[in-house]
Amino acid sequence: MEQRLTDDEQQVLKTGAFGAVFLVSNADPGVFAMIRESFAASGAFAGASGLVKEALTAGGLPRLPRDSALEVESVVLPALGRAVDILREKSPADLSAYRELVVTAAEQVAGAHRGVTPAEADAIERIRTALAGPVEPA
């Protein structure tokens, strides 16, 4: 049964999704790359629906640290884990869609400019791990 998300919960989903794109984009920085990557992320996010779409389109953009990749990662990866927990509790039907959307956006961003670099592939793997969430008991 789907439940409405609070503003804070929507912000967590948005921080995780937009932050994942930012994390991959910063793995191989460059002005021209950033432009192409922004379009790639927008295209991926346009496919969102339901609670995920509502979360990604509500309110302003998340505030992410910009000083270092480690600081970005320290905000984004926990946000992805919390997003998984939120969706698992409030809208389990949207959980796989969120995971797929975030990974697709990250992969499209990585491939948008000269192919996927090792640093981008590493960032995507960390994103996948965060989205996997804790292993549930059998």
Side-chain angles (χ1 to χ4, degrees):
M1 181 172 161
E2 179 182 304
Q3 299 176 36
R4 304 267 318 146
L5 300 180
T6 67
D7 291 345
D8 287 342
E9 290 167 337
Q10 287 181 340
Q11 194 63 31
V12 169
L13 268 66
K14 185 183 282 190
T15 297
F18 282 81
V21 166
F22 187 65
L23 189 65
V24 172
S25 183
N26 278 353
D28 188 26
V31 174
F32 293 115
M34 183 181 67
I35 294 168
R36 286 186 177 161
E37 291 165 349
S38 294
F39 282 115
S42 296
F45 289 157
S49 62
L51 281 181
V52 174
K53 180 177 184 171
E54 186 178 321
L56 295 182
T57 58
L61 292 175
R63 295 182 188 261
L64 297 168
R66 300 199 181 265
D67 293 335
S68 76
L70 286 176
E71 283 184 308
V72 172
E73 194 171 305
S74 74
V75 170
V76 173
L77 298 182
L80 289 169
R82 285 193 310 274
V84 166
D85 292 341
I86 290 166
L87 289 172
R88 185 176 285 128
E89 178 186 327
K90 290 205 163 179
S91 187
D94 288 312
L95 179 55
S96 65
Y98 180 78
R99 286 175 168 150
E100 186 176 318
L101 180 76
V102 171
V103 170
T104 297
E107 289 172 341
Q108 288 181 2
V109 163
H113 186 72
R114 298 185 186 154
V116 181
T117 67
E120 290 169 330
D122 185 51
I124 292 168
E125 189 54 37
R126 289 192 309 276
I127 290 164
R128 283 182 200 275
T129 299
L131 286 168
V135 176
E136 294 185 24

